[in-house]
Amino acid sequence: MRESTIMEKAMEKTISFFIFSSSILFLAGKSLAKPSYDGDMSDNVTALFIFGDSFLDAGNNNYINTSTLDQANFPPYGQTFFGLPTGRFSDGRLISDFIAEYAKLPLIPPFLEPGDSQKKLCGVNFASAGAGALVETFQGSVISLRTQLDHYKKVERLWRIKFGKEESKKRISRAVYLISIGFNDYSSPFLTNQSLSISMSQHVDIVIGNLTTFIHELYKIGGRKFGFLNVPDLGCFPGLRILKQKNDSCLRDASTLASMHNKALSNLLFKMQRQVKGFKFSLFDMNKSLRLRMHQPSKFGFKEGEEACCGTGKWGGVFSCGGKRIVKEYKLCENPDDYIFWDSLHLTQNTYKQFANLIWNGGHMSDSLVVGPYNINRLFQIS
């Protein structure tokens, strides 16, 4: 079979494994000296709540009825840090795992993971690979952002029972919510070979509208401090780039949608800061940060800036890593740390760690990568 045919078949069905765009970090309070699971948490404990897609999914999709296109619970996923697959779409840890470490928290468990509910008093990961701001995005195969919010409300009720109404309210109001959403909303039309039935600007408006509603819901519950990742240049990811037949450039329309979304997201957040009492935010420019590394990989310690470590086809752009999906053939690089991309649509632990450092330590509005006005570390410190 010709390589182009393999790619076409893979791309038609890679619709719901998508990583990105949307995840939320909730950090309630100040840092713990030591992680604790016993529930006897002091007033300054920090909880971390994570919402979004496969950029942040720590394994929720392990527990839903879906296909391996939306799961990463098989080798070689997880090999670098965990030594076994955990459901994370990477060779190791994700941005949220590093943020938890910097906040002196344990790894935050997926909401759907069975076990002691006491562990979820340090935070919960609600993210689902393939999720988008639109309920229709890979509907039936992933946990939508709307459903993630419903899951969060269940945890919030648990907190009220555990801590009492007033103490729970205080902890919620100290929270920081880090949100990354949109990648799947914009990439799915290309991966499924479907044309948008509306204009690009209308599509972006609907995504931003749903995200706005989501943020206001969290605010109404008590959230005040938010961190956001914008949508990366999705047209330059190997899995979308191979869809362009004529040359080796990025998929322009996909990249244009990401750019339009990011502008609208920035405008929304600054508007909310002006109009919504107590609303504070940090916005990380993942789009620019990724492009800088792709254009000059050696400057950031990488050897390969375009090809995926795990996969097959041109640039490793076929979503075959692990051999459990539509296409079984895949190649695995020797050292994932040398690569920016782990598979055709996800990043390596090394890339995520660099991004997490920027998110945690980035400057204020003068910093081009952290649009500000805060970094996550600063939001974490605000009581």
Side-chain angles (χ1 to χ4, degrees), residues 16-304:
S16 74
F17 70 92
F18 263 40
I19 43 191
F20 323 114
S21 302
S22 62
S23 284
I24 298 182
L25 259 180
F26 163 152
L27 314 163
K30 302 178 182 178
S31 64
L32 279 171
K34 295 181 180 180
S36 173
Y37 291 106
D38 62 10
D40 296 326
M41 299 190 298
S42 62
D43 289 341
N44 65 350
V45 71
T46 298
L48 173 61
F49 291 81
I50 304 156
F51 300 74
D53 48 37
S54 54
F55 275 133
L56 303 179
D57 182 2
N60 277 304
N61 282 14
N62 295 347
Y63 306 100
I64 65 174
N65 183 20
T66 189
S67 75
T68 54
L69 294 173
D70 301 302
Q71 295 175 323
N73 53 358
F74 46 86
Y77 289 93
Q79 67 173 25
T80 299
F81 180 78
F82 300 99
L84 75 169
T86 64
R88 291 166 172 82
F89 280 81
S90 184
D91 61 301
R93 289 170 289 179
L94 308 176
I95 289 173
S96 47
D97 297 319
F98 290 108
I99 296 297
E101 176 185 333
Y102 303 155
K104 298 182 174 62
L105 291 170
L107 289 173
I108 305 302
F111 173 77
L112 294 179
E113 181 180 82
D116 187 359
S117 62
Q118 292 290 96
K119 292 184 178 181
K120 293 178 175 138
L121 295 177
C122 285
V124 184
N125 187 320
F126 302 98
S128 171
L134 305 179
V135 174
E136 298 81 5
T137 298
F138 305 136
Q139 189 171 11
S141 297
V142 302
I143 306 167
S144 70
L145 193 61
R146 177 75 249 181
T147 301
Q148 292 180 39
L149 179 61
D150 292 338
H151 290 168
Y152 168 73
K153 290 178 179 178
K154 292 180 181 180
V155 173
E156 190 268 338
R157 288 193 292 270
L158 173 66
W159 276 33
R160 273 186 275 144
I161 295 171
K162 174 67 179 179
F163 301 114
K165 183 177 179 180
E166 290 305 314
E167 178 61 22
S168 174
K169 184 177 179 180
K170 290 178 183 178
R171 292 172 183 266
I172 292 297
S173 69
R174 291 198 301 261
V176 176
Y177 300 73
L178 175 66
I179 305 169
S180 168
I181 203 74
F183 185 98
N184 299 302
D185 297 307
Y186 300 121
S187 60
S188 58
F190 303 99
L191 294 174
T192 57
N193 197 27
Q194 296 180 358
S195 300
L196 289 175
S197 60
I198 54 179
S199 69
M200 284 188 177
S201 60
Q202 289 173 321
H203 188 62
V204 171
D205 287 344
I206 295 172
V207 172
I208 291 293
N210 281 19
L211 179 55
T212 302
T213 300
F214 177 76
I215 297 169
H216 279 288
E217 286 275 350
L218 289 175
Y219 180 87
K220 185 168 64 174
I221 295 171
R224 293 296 182 267
K225 297 179 291 182
F226 296 79
F228 297 83
L229 314 180
N230 70 11
V231 175
D233 192 350
L234 56 91
C236 294
F237 276 68
L240 282 102
R241 196 174 176 187
I242 62 169
L243 299 176
K244 190 173 179 63
Q245 301 295 324
K246 293 183 179 180
N247 56 50
D248 290 345
S249 64
C250 301
L251 193 61
R252 184 179 64 181
D253 285 350
S255 295
T256 298
L257 280 168
S259 179
M260 292 170 66
H261 171 91
N262 292 341
K263 182 177 180 180
L265 175 61
S266 180
N267 290 340
L268 167 66
L269 298 180
F270 280 104
K271 179 181 179 180
M272 289 189 67
Q273 181 180 246
R274 292 191 302 269
Q275 297 181 354
V276 180
K277 183 179 179 181
F279 180 85
K280 299 177 177 64
F281 78 92
S282 172
L283 174 59
F284 174 61
D285 193 346
M286 185 159 63
N287 189 294
K288 182 175 181 180
S289 299
L290 183 59
R291 280 188 285 110
L292 286 173
R293 284 158 177 77
M294 290 183 67
H295 294 160
Q296 295 182 293
S298 61
K299 181 178 179 180
F300 299 93
F302 297 102
K303 294 181 180 179
E304 174 55 56

